[in-house]
């Protein structure tokens, strides 16, 4: 019986994989090579003249030389509270400083309090065109953005002296004016003094009915971080909007929630890193209240801040700005599957990262001495079998203020 059901499972898995295969893949290609490879990766320079850097992904998942397109807005980095110096790397202390829906990129401009929309040429993913003018956000120091195709809605969170979240409709013509800020009472300055006590990431729930925003606490002053959740209000023949009243909750055992990713196939579960200990699996109830289902400490971690879920390896990967290491973790209980020591690359640590097909792309902005680079991990071998495929220098295009990571599939 057990053998039979295992055979069935394998058969069903094989069928599912066949369905996913791209048409150009020869029939005899092993299943693990059949995941769609991304077309290009994108991140922001976050320099005074902010720009989106685009790098093409080759058929084998590796990166090649790319180019940069100005957003029309300004970048800025936060102040490191401990030293009073500009924070390099990790100047925004956020995940998702740019995001992609369809062939559209949205990118924050922290230094000019705006958000830019850029159209990707469907024939050339490196060719970006700014659509309209950058749109003002009603807050200070925007550091994270989420967009929903289902709702034609883009939402931006700010983490300066005026912190909170606001949204606007978008179309091919550009972004409409942003609506009124739903404030976050974090008591920050502009630029903020981080990295703790700032906004981490805003993201839509997997069914795009809610907007989640992760807000870091400050364990040194007994301030608990929280997950802010607002419903999306959909009305017949009217644009979707974000509710004006939301709920906030602090999942038990978390303090500095950071990069978060929804878990495919489990609509109310999220994989979230927490810079104070490691990572957690978080559940949202129907009211939008978050609780911790599983919590995992990563020994020796410095600041585990970014998380991505790979559908190829069915696992999560988290990055630490203070260690050149990626940790693979279980989507069921956040337990550690494997730690990949990448220190031979010489990068001081990794920040924002994204999964596409059988690969994970992780940005190291460097620190001025070591230049910016992207590490490519091949996860096609399945759980616990990732291998570094490439370390691609982007020193000519970006420096230690670079932030964000988005992939065009
Ligand atoms: C921290 O906050 C908790 C909950 O409000 C309280 O019980 C505790 O006494 C506080 N500790 C300090 C050191 O302020
Ligand atoms: C958090 O609280 C929930 C609900 O009370 C409980 O089921 C879960 O085990 C707790 N998680 C941790 C990590 O303490
Ligand atoms: C930059 O990072 C490299 C690699 O970790 C390290 O050797 C170097 O000392 C760092 N430089 C600065 C200025 O922190």
């Amino acid at each position: 019986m057990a053998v039979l059901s295992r055979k069935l499972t394998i058969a069903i898995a094989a069928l599912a994989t066949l369905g996913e295969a791209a048409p150009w893949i020869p029939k005899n290609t092993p299943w693990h090579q059949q995941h769609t490879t991304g077309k290009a990766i994108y991140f922001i320079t976050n320099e005074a003249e902010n720009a989106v850097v685009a790098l093409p992904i080759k058929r084998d998942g590796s990166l090649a030389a790319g180019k940069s397109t100005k957003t029309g807005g300004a970048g800025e980095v936060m102040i490191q509270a401990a030293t009073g110096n500009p924070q390099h790397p990790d100047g925004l202390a956020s995940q998702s400083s740019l995001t992609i829906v369809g062939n559209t990129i949205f990118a924050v401009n922290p230094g000019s309090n705006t958000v830019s929309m850029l159209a990707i040429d469907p024939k050339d993913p490196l060719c970006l065109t700014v659509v309209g003018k950058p749109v003002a956000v009603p807050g200070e120091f925007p550091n994270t953005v989420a967009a929903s195709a289902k709702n034609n809605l883009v939402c931006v969170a700010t983490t300066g002296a005026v912190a909170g979240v606001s949204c606007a409709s978008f179309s091919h013509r550009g972004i409409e004016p942003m609506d009124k800020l739903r404030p976050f009472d974090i008591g920050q300055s502009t630029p903020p003094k981080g990295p703790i006590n700032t906004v981490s990431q805003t993201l839509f729930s997997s069914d795009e009915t809610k907007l989640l925003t992760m807000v870091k606490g400050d364990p040194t002053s007994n301030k608990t971080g929280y997950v802010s959740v607002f419903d999306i209000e959909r009305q017949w023949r009217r644009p979707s909007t974000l509710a004006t009243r939301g709920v906030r909750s602090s999942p038990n055992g978390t303090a500095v929630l950071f990069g978060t990713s929804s878990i495919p196939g489990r609509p109310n579960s999220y994989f979230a890193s927490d810079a104070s200990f490691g990572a957690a699996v978080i559940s949202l109830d129907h009211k939008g209240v978050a609780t911790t289902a599983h919590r995992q400490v990563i020994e020796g971690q410095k600041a585990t801040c970014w998380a991505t879920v790979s559908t190829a390896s069915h696992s999560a990967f988290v990055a630490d700005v203070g260690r050149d290491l990626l940790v693979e973790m279980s989507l069921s209980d956040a337990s550690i599957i494997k730690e990949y020591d990448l220190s031979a690359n010489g990068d001081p640590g990794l920040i924002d990262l994204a999964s596409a097909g059988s690969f994970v792309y992780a940005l190291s902005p460097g620190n001025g001495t070591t230049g910016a680079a992207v590490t490519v991990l091949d996860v096609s071998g399945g759980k616990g079998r990732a291998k570094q495929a490439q370390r691609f220098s982007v020193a000519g295009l970006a420096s230690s203020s670079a932030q964000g990571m988005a992939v065009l599939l």
Side-chain angles (χ1 to χ4, degrees):
M1 193 60 194
V3 172
L4 185 66
S5 74
R6 233 183 83 213
K7 273 190 181 157
L8 260 177
T9 314
I10 292 166
I12 290 166
L15 271 177
T17 319
L18 274 178
E20 278 171 23
W24 49 266
I25 293 175
K27 262 195 189 129
N28 56 358
T29 304
W31 67 269
H32 57 81
Q33 289 175 15
Q34 295 185 5
H35 289 278
T36 318
T37 302
K39 293 194 178 106
I41 67 161
Y42 305 88
F43 56 87
I44 62 171
T45 62
N46 197 30
E47 281 166 10
E49 278 193 310
N50 196 14
V52 174
V53 172
L55 302 176
I57 300 175
K58 298 194 284 191
R59 282 266 172 103
D60 66 359
S62 66
L63 301 170
K67 64 183 198 191
S68 142
T69 305
K70 289 193 175 84
T71 65
E76 188 172 13
V77 300
M78 59 176 61
I79 304 297
Q80 192 169 38
T83 61
N85 295 327
Q87 187 165 292
H88 290 281
D90 192 21
L92 298 180
S94 72
Q95 180 155 327
S96 193
S97 55
L98 83 172
T99 194
I100 294 186
V101 282
N103 279 310
T104 304
I105 295 176
F106 296 96
V108 297
N109 299 302
S112 52
N113 302 327
T114 55
V115 56
S116 297
M117 175 171 165
L118 298 96
I120 304 169
D121 182 338
K123 291 191 200 76
D124 177 5
L126 300 199
C127 179
L128 307 181
T129 314
V130 178
V131 182
K133 287 208 163 65
V135 169
V137 294
E140 294 177 7
F141 207 85
N143 68 338
T144 175
V145 55
S148 159
K150 205 186 232 176
N151 298 294
N152 287 322
L153 203 60
V154 56
C155 298
V156 178
T158 59
T159 193
V162 186
V165 64
S166 87
C167 303
S169 299
F170 67 86
S171 68
H172 63 278
R173 294 186 304 273
I175 308 171
E176 300 286 316
M178 302 293 293
D179 68 6
K180 213 169 144 218
L181 195 76
R182 290 126 187 103
F184 295 147
D185 50 350
I186 54 173
Q188 268 293 359
S189 53
T190 303
K193 296 185 178 68
I196 51 179
N197 190 37
T198 56
V199 172
S200 302
Q201 186 183 2
T202 192
L203 67 152
F204 282 90
S205 59
S206 47
D207 62 2
E208 299 176 49
T209 63
K210 289 183 167 66
L211 184 77
L212 283 67
T213 309
M214 318 308 275
V215 180
K216 302 174 201 77
D218 179 357
T220 62
S221 64
N222 204 11
K223 204 167 162 184
T224 312
Y226 55 88
V227 183
S228 145
V229 178
F230 289 95
D231 284 329
I232 309 301
E233 295 177 335
R234 305 189 72 180
Q235 297 162 73
W236 174 245
R237 287 179 180 276
R238 301 262 309 271
S240 295
T241 53
L242 189 71
T244 51
R245 296 174 74 99
V247 291
R248 283 180 195 177
S249 54
S250 300
N252 38 341
T254 68
V256 187
L257 286 171
F258 210 122
T260 304
S261 185
S262 58
I263 299 179
R266 281 159 57 199
N268 302 313
S269 289
Y270 295 84
F271 193 93
S273 65
D274 186 303
S276 67
F277 65 85
V281 174
I282 284 168
S283 308
L284 266 201
D285 71 11
H286 68 281
K287 290 190 191 123
V289 173
T291 47
T292 306
H294 302 278
R295 183 181 182 277
Q296 176 67 51
V297 171
I298 299 175
E299 292 299 337
Q301 71 106 31
K302 297 223 164 73
T304 307
C305 300
W306 297 268
T308 187
V309 167
S310 167
T311 51
S313 58
H314 302 283
S315 56
F317 288 84
V318 296
D320 186 327
V321 66
R323 297 204 296 170
D324 199 5
L325 178 86
L326 287 172
V327 182
E328 183 177 10
M329 302 176 87
S330 158
L331 298 178
S332 323
D333 61 6
S335 59
I336 296 172
I337 296 169
K338 191 164 177 181
E339 299 197 349
Y340 301 92
D341 181 353
L342 305 166
S343 56
N345 291 338
D347 294 320
L350 295 164
I351 66 160
D352 215 339
L353 77 178
S355 303
S358 300
F359 298 89
V360 171
Y361 300 88
L363 176 66
S364 170
N367 56 13
T369 314
T370 305
V374 178
T375 295
V376 184
L377 213 60
D378 177 349
V379 301
S380 62
K383 277 194 189 77
R385 296 212 181 90
K387 285 195 217 72
Q388 176 167 317
Q390 191 186 25
R391 175 193 183 267
F392 189 78
S393 170
V394 289
L397 288 168
S399 68
S400 58
S401 57
Q403 196 92 25
M405 182 56 70
V407 189
L408 179 70
L409 284 173

